[in-house]
Amino acid sequence: MLDDHALEAADAQLHAHSARLSAIRERLGIPAPSQSQRPRTILGQVVPDPSTASPDNAPTSSGSVRADSADNADGSAALASPDRTCANAPGTGGSAAGAAGGPRGRRRPGRRTVLVGMVCLSLLAAGVWFARDRWQPSPSDSHVLRRADKLGKLVIGTKAGQPGLSMEKDGKWSGFDVELARRIADRLGFPEDKLKFVPVGTNSRETMIKNKKVDLVVGSYSINAEREKEVAFAGPYLLTGQRLLMRKGDTEGTVWVNDDKTGSLYTKEVRSYVDLAPKTDVCTAADSTSQKKLESLKTESGEKQFDVTPLTDYDLCISGLLDTTYEVLSTDDVILAGYQATYPNQLVTIGGDMSHEKYGIGMEKNDSVLHDLVCDALEKEISSGRWDQLFKDNLGKIGVEETCPPPRTRC
């Protein structure tokens, strides 16, 4: 008898095969089969018709139902912690929720339902491989890769000042994003001697992609709906969350803050942004997801929680944080970890996640072949174990907790 773990794995495989088959049908000009207007049942899970589904109960990109927010004991808005462990990674046995009767809203399927679903999965997989025999994606089918081949270089945009993620020093590039980009480029047919990295800013990435200044962007690039209007994403390949970076105080557990009345500095225990005074000076990158989050925060009395200074990028904020121009730098915790590791006696990361971010690989919207090839390359890096090694060699060394890649919802 198959258990919930097998069901979860089968669901994931069915979803992936279905998406792949739809893409191949589109390229081959094969019309999609007609859809029944009745609710569909996939391996024991009832999927409502999109036309009748309530927006409030619509599944998120991860397939879960949106939950109401809660508050932390300190008064700050609580975020459901993203699963950054390997416990829920595909093939690792699922979460503890299954042991308590399965996730809310899912009934344990009967043996017949599971067997029928597995047969459907096998037939769908066979259809995928039959279609792929007729059409195999090749770099020569991608207009972006053809252009890169003609120029003799694949150009990848990344950040230039983020220790552990992407750094440029004396013409040499290093970091998790950089090494992952190298591996993907090699799988696309562009080894090191045919690869060029160029620095990109947070607010210039979409423009550089659309103006063909870069072929791909692999540089702490959060996927969101606004950006997806302009560019396409493959992935995500990393999950992170927004936190605060502050100057260490002179006693354990404290940080330096500014006295608004006197302008002098004093130390204070800070566990969350709600412990800070209204209109605290904070620096972040312009047009970043972090900027939007910071500008949305209010105190209990309705005042702005932060006075936000957006700069070209985070490495510029570090100088202002160290010289006391700003009290706080706020962005994704994997970025902050690199700065904290660089200045371990001066800086400390504060608080829990204020938002959740998923990093993806950015590219032009009108090159579906490139998108599929990048997705395939990323999947091979993950399945081969290379992703884990790159994580340990780069992010692990700056103190980022070991994790697994999130589901590739954009592949």
Side-chain angles (χ1 to χ4, degrees):
M1 183 79 176
L2 294 175
D3 60 12
D4 279 344
H5 301 333
L7 174 65
E8 295 288 349
D11 272 353
Q13 291 179 51
L14 180 59
H15 176 76
H17 284 308
S18 179
R20 172 66 70 183
L21 184 56
S22 295
I24 293 174
R25 277 197 184 113
E26 181 180 351
R27 292 194 186 92
L28 293 174
I30 301 173
S34 61
Q35 294 284 339
S36 170
Q37 296 302 310
R38 295 174 298 172
R40 297 177 293 122
T41 300
I42 299 178
L43 295 180
Q45 181 180 11
V46 176
V47 182
D49 186 283
S51 63
T52 61
S54 167
D56 290 335
N57 294 321
T60 65
S61 61
S62 61
S64 61
V65 176
R66 187 186 309 142
D68 294 332
S69 63
D71 289 334
N72 290 322
D74 61 8
S76 60
L79 280 175
S81 297
D83 188 358
R84 303 196 209 180
T85 69
C86 298
N88 286 326
T92 58
S95 67
R104 183 176 60 184
R106 181 190 291 277
R107 294 182 300 165
R108 180 180 292 275
R111 181 186 183 95
R112 181 177 179 182
T113 302
V114 173
L115 290 176
V116 170
M118 294 301 288
V119 170
C120 291
L121 177 61
S122 299
L123 292 173
L124 181 59
V128 169
W129 289 111
F130 174 76
R132 288 191 68 169
D133 283 341
R134 296 175 59 189
W135 182 86
Q136 285 284 353
S138 165
S140 62
D141 297 319
S142 161
H143 70 263
V144 171
L145 296 183
R146 287 198 305 270
R147 181 182 69 215
D149 187 60
K150 184 176 180 180
L151 295 174
K153 293 283 183 182
L154 182 72
V155 182
I156 297 182
T158 191
K159 298 296 189 68
Q162 297 181 166
L165 273 174
S166 49
M167 285 286 293
E168 187 273 331
K169 186 176 181 180
D170 299 328
K172 296 182 179 180
W173 291 84
S174 63
F176 177 78
D177 280 350
V178 171
E179 295 304 327
L180 182 62
R182 282 194 174 108
R183 296 292 304 169
I184 290 173
D186 188 63
R187 290 186 182 276
L188 296 177
F190 293 86
E192 185 73 23
D193 61 341
K194 292 186 177 181
L195 178 61
K196 180 181 180 180
F197 287 103
V198 297
V200 295
T202 298
N203 60 352
S204 68
R205 290 175 292 200
E206 289 91 274
T207 300
M208 293 186 74
I209 290 173
K210 292 192 296 182
N211 290 344
K212 299 177 175 50
K213 300 296 184 182
V214 295
D215 302 313
L216 298 172
V217 170
V218 188
S220 56
Y221 204 179
S222 296
I223 302 171
N224 63 36
E226 185 177 342
R227 289 170 177 169
E228 286 187 298
K229 293 176 183 178
E230 301 187 65
V231 300
F233 284 97
Y237 63 87
L238 189 66
L239 178 64
T240 182
Q242 183 179 351
R243 298 188 184 183
L244 311 175
L245 189 68
M246 301 185 70
R247 296 183 300 277
K248 278 186 177 181
D250 53 7
T251 57
E252 184 70 24
T254 65
V255 294
W256 288 103
V257 295
N258 295 338
D259 188 314
D260 290 338
K261 295 181 179 179
T262 65
S264 59
L265 297 173
Y266 68 98
T267 57
K268 176 183 178 180
E269 184 174 328
V270 174
R271 297 190 179 189
S272 168
Y273 68 86
V274 299
D275 297 325
L276 298 170
K279 299 181 180 179
T280 294
D281 291 321
V282 61
C283 184
T284 193
D287 298 325
S288 64
T289 54
S290 298
Q291 179 186 353
K292 292 178 175 61
K293 179 64 177 179
L294 294 167
E295 291 175 342
S296 72
L297 296 175
K298 305 289 184 182
T299 66
E300 289 185 355
S301 61
E303 294 181 88
K304 291 194 306 181
Q305 180 64 69
F306 292 105
D307 271 340
V308 183
T309 300
L311 297 181
T312 306
D313 238 315
Y314 302 112
D315 53 345
L316 299 176
C317 292
I318 281 292
S319 298
L321 181 62
L322 293 172
D323 70 13
T324 74
T325 300
Y326 311 112
E327 290 181 69
V328 182
L329 187 164
S330 182
T331 186
D332 306 331
D333 55 8
V334 292
I335 300 174
L336 299 183
Y339 296 135
Q340 182 176 325
T342 304
Y343 303 97
N345 299 320
Q346 296 165 273
L347 302 177
V348 61
T349 302
I350 300 294
D353 291 347
M354 299 161 61
S355 69
H356 302 152
E357 307 298 334
K358 294 178 180 179
Y359 289 172
I361 300 170
M363 66 195 75
E364 290 184 21
K365 286 180 69 73
N366 60 348
D367 195 334
S368 59
V369 174
L370 174 63
H371 180 266
D372 279 2
L373 289 170
V374 171
C375 282
D376 287 344
L378 177 60
E379 200 64 40
K380 289 173 182 176
E381 288 303 302
I382 292 170
S383 62
S384 69
R386 182 65 178 173
W387 186 97
D388 299 281
Q389 192 61 50
L390 294 178
F391 188 101
K392 292 176 183 177
D393 291 345
N394 294 278
L395 299 180
K397 289 183 178 179
I398 59 173
V400 179
E401 185 178 353
E402 185 176 352
T403 185
C404 283
R408 268 70 67 201
T409 57
R410 297 305 189 274
C411 284

